[in-house]
Amino acid sequence: MITTRVACILLCVAPLFAKAEPSPNFIVTLVGDQGRGTTFDCSYLDRLDVEDAEVHSADWVAAGAFEAPKSKRLQSRYQALPRFCRVTGSIAPTADSDIRFELWLPEPDNWNGKFMQTGNGGAAGSIDYNSMVDPLMRGYAVTNTDTGHVGGGGDFSWAVGQPEKWVDYQYRAVHELTRVGKALTSANFGKEPHKSYWLGCSTGGRQGLKEAQLYPDDYDAIIAGAPASNWVPLMTKSVLIQNSLGENGLGLDKLAPLKEAALAACDSNDGVTDRVISDPGNCSFDPASLACAGDDDAVCLTPTEVEAARRIYAGVVNSEGETLIPGTGPGSETLWQVYKRGFSIGESYFRHLIYNDPEWNSEMFDMESALERAYRLDAGGTDAMDPDLSAFVEGGGKLIVYHGTTDGLIPYGNSVNYHESVIDTLGQQAVDDSVRLYLLPGMDHCDGGEGADTVDFIAAMEDWVERGKAPAEILAERRAREKSVWAPARHALSRVVCPYPQDPRYKGSGDPNEAENFACVIRDQD
């Protein structure tokens, strides 16, 4: 005869809450020798009183039933989700704050014992549901926030006259959600997560670096992709590219020929011609090689266009000749057009936050005065370039930064410069023990591009933190796809991505589409 015993387990996490009710959170059912099964009443969470926070709802979502608000494009990904508890809420560390968040909790038997927060893109302003899918499927309790406002990814109009909301966006929202998310996760499962990880790209990369710099105890490990860390120069670069394109600069129709010319000049430097420049920093390409010999045509550049291209490649250079942020490298050219086609994030930043003038536009931009004003008014709160990660690494923290070399929005060279500054500050041995930089040849902004853009950095980080296996070269893949309205067709390939300062080099034989035929070589030694 099978006997059933039901035991209610009370939570021992009262210090995390202002007025936690002494009610059971989940019920464990033991079923004879059939083993242990669990059922879970996640609705309990909306009755918890968490300091400075309010849980709005806590409900089960059936497997494959989640639908992201206002977005159907990624619905096929959501259909693969297992059953989970969806928690929504808000956090108010100040009277003007309204930091909305979601926390997705796997069923107790599926929880891997760990917590993860994922980051945002651009100006944030919404929950990034897509970023939560993979962590949940791996068994993480995963959370994300709108950083305290509602808005589009390139729009800062919400920040006018809202200094507390701006601080929430800069760094406070993700730190507050770390506290609240861990507390709810602990209440949910009756014990604290044994590891906590950060995962984000672009603004999410900046957020991750900011966490390591300001709150070194928040996370055991941080994965920061293409970090938007050098903030004021990055916003300046956005406006400079926007002003360098179009009628009085470089024509948008010339971006593709410019990229093809860069590939022709440097593609084969790594030993194979495959439309990927493995080390664009050593690519000697001058857009003047495309200069028109006579009349302007579709594949040549006028003198004005040559100068505009050179200006973009150079990055932001002040009147004293100092490069404040490098330009994006060869192979990134076609991505520049986003600044002319709706993603005018730098223009919005200067209009609303620096000049507070709804009539201001990029044509009124004077770089030197704009830089001086922005550095004075923004005061470094959004910047995440502090190289002193000593508290983070001395506490055992691990950091992986990755960046695509054909990122046309955030220059990969900025991540290189930051990594070098961390070495100068902490020393090579500390960096070897705790920090990695991976440059992904041919990857665009966070993903996409003509290189291998799919890398399991989560698994690499888990191996490093939980099993003591420091990452070296890592497998990267580019998945095959058919031609669509969004992107051209492409075949599958695999490559190795290498810890900086190494680059992948073709061994000279074998299928160039297979990673095994590439080796990581320290640059300048080939």
Side-chain angles (χ1 to χ4, degrees):
M1 177 179 178
I2 298 175
T3 60
T4 303
R5 179 164 60 92
V6 178
C8 294
I9 300 179
L10 300 180
L11 301 178
C12 300
V13 291
L16 298 172
F17 306 100
K19 293 177 286 187
E21 298 181 19
S23 300
N25 180 28
F26 59 87
I27 300 171
V28 179
T29 306
L30 302 177
V31 188
D33 22 277
Q34 290 186 357
R36 169 176 159 175
T38 62
T39 60
F40 171 47
D41 177 20
C42 76
S43 65
Y44 170 78
L45 294 175
D46 67 11
R47 301 196 300 275
L48 293 175
D49 190 352
V50 187
E51 184 181 359
D52 294 332
E54 179 182 355
V55 175
H56 298 159
S57 66
D59 301 294
W60 282 107
V61 178
F66 176 73
E67 293 187 8
K70 302 180 181 179
S71 176
K72 302 298 181 184
R73 189 166 65 88
L74 298 170
Q75 193 57 41
S76 61
R77 292 202 71 203
Y78 304 134
Q79 290 171 352
L81 288 173
R83 184 172 182 259
F84 69 96
C85 180
R86 181 187 181 190
V87 182
T88 69
S90 62
I91 311 170
T94 76
D96 295 329
S97 297
D98 183 18
I99 301 166
R100 299 297 176 111
F101 70 88
E102 292 210 12
L103 172 66
W104 290 2
L105 301 165
E107 295 191 271
D109 284 349
N110 293 333
W111 187 41
N112 63 11
K114 294 177 283 189
F115 171 84
M116 179 178 287
Q117 184 175 177
T118 60
N120 304 92
S126 62
I127 304 293
D128 187 348
Y129 297 102
N130 185 43
S131 71
M132 301 172 74
V133 171
D134 184 48
L136 180 71
M137 295 183 70
R138 293 174 188 252
Y140 281 87
V142 59
T143 192
N144 187 266
T145 174
D146 64 3
T147 74
H149 65 277
V150 176
D155 178 25
F156 288 108
S157 61
W158 53 268
V160 175
Q162 299 287 344
E164 296 297 344
K165 288 186 180 295
W166 182 241
V167 174
D168 287 337
Y169 169 78
Q170 288 177 312
Y171 58 85
R172 187 166 54 202
V174 297
H175 173 61
E176 286 294 312
L177 181 53
T178 304
R179 174 183 64 86
V180 172
K182 286 182 180 181
L184 291 172
T185 299
S186 298
N188 180 36
F189 296 111
K191 59 182 178 180
E192 295 182 359
H194 66 81
K195 294 295 179 186
S196 297
Y197 296 147
W198 173 273
L199 174 68
C201 191
S202 194
T203 286
R206 180 188 66 80
Q207 292 167 327
L209 292 183
K210 202 74 171 177
E211 277 288 304
Q213 294 160 10
L214 293 183
Y215 307 106
D217 297 327
D218 275 3
Y219 290 95
D220 297 289
I222 289 168
I223 303 170
S229 51
N230 196 359
W231 185 256
V232 170
L234 180 63
M235 294 299 99
T236 302
K237 181 196 70 67
S238 166
V239 178
L240 288 179
I241 293 179
Q242 183 177 340
N243 286 349
S244 297
L245 300 176
E247 279 186 21
N248 300 316
L250 177 61
L252 297 184
D253 61 330
K254 302 298 181 68
L255 297 182
L258 189 60
K259 176 178 179 175
E260 294 304 315
L263 288 171
C266 302
D267 181 359
S268 62
N269 289 353
D270 59 0
V272 63
T273 301
D274 58 357
R275 299 189 59 79
V276 174
I277 301 171
S278 289
D279 181 10
N282 286 321
C283 173
S284 300
F285 170 67
D286 187 345
S289 62
L290 280 183
C292 299
D295 294 336
D296 183 16
D297 62 36
V299 295
C300 73
L301 303 184
T302 67
T304 296
E305 290 177 322
V306 168
E307 289 309 308
R310 284 174 171 168
R311 188 161 57 246
I312 296 172
Y313 284 129
V316 176
V317 183
N318 66 16
S319 59
E320 298 178 356
E322 179 186 7
T323 299
L324 303 182
I325 193 168
T328 63
S332 67
E333 297 81 2
T334 53
L335 269 69
W336 299 344
Q337 63 186 304
V338 302
Y339 290 121
K340 204 69 174 178
R341 290 180 166 167
F343 188 64
S344 51
I345 188 171
E347 184 178 49
S348 182
Y349 170 75
F350 282 102
R351 174 186 297 139
H352 297 298
L353 278 150
I354 303 306
Y355 290 102
N356 191 15
D357 179 1
E359 303 300 319
W360 189 93
N361 61 60
S362 64
E363 295 179 2
M364 303 163 65
F365 187 69
D366 177 79
M367 190 183 77
E368 292 296 325
S369 64
L371 281 168
E372 184 278 329
R373 187 180 179 94
Y375 278 128
R376 174 164 47 86
L377 295 178
D378 205 358
T382 325
D383 182 273
M385 293 293 285
D386 184 356
D388 186 2
L389 301 178
S390 55
F392 179 71
V393 302
E394 287 168 8
K398 304 298 184 186
L399 171 66
I400 290 178
V401 177
Y402 69 90
H403 211 137
T405 63
T406 53
D407 188 337
L409 305 186
I410 301 176
Y412 81 91
N414 187 69
S415 289
V416 172
N417 292 344
Y418 179 69
H419 186 79
E420 293 287 358
S421 73
V422 174
I423 293 174
D424 291 342
T425 303
L426 302 185
Q428 188 66 59
Q429 187 59 58
V431 171
D432 289 346
D433 291 342
S434 303
V435 182
R436 292 287 186 278
L437 169 63
Y438 286 91
L439 301 180
L440 277 65
M443 187 178 84
D444 291 347
H445 184 59
C446 294
D447 59 14
E450 301 198 55
D453 65 334
T454 302
V455 184
D456 194 346
F457 284 115
I458 295 177
M461 185 63 83
E462 290 172 334
D463 279 345
W464 197 4
V465 174
E466 299 167 31
R467 289 171 280 279
K469 181 182 177 183
E473 63 182 50
I474 306 176
L475 178 69
E477 295 179 307
R478 184 182 74 183
R479 294 167 182 165
R481 69 180 178 209
E482 296 181 359
K483 183 178 181 180
S484 71
V485 296
W486 302 102
R490 66 183 189 184
H491 64 274
L493 61 80
S494 63
R495 289 290 163 83
V496 293
V497 291
C498 308
Y500 179 84
Q502 301 178 59
D503 295 310
R505 291 291 185 271
Y506 182 55
K507 294 179 180 178
S509 62
D511 186 350
N513 292 321
E514 297 294 333
E516 63 186 20
N517 298 314
F518 285 77
C520 291
V521 177
I522 295 179
R523 56 182 57 196
D524 297 328
Q525 290 190 356
D526 56 335

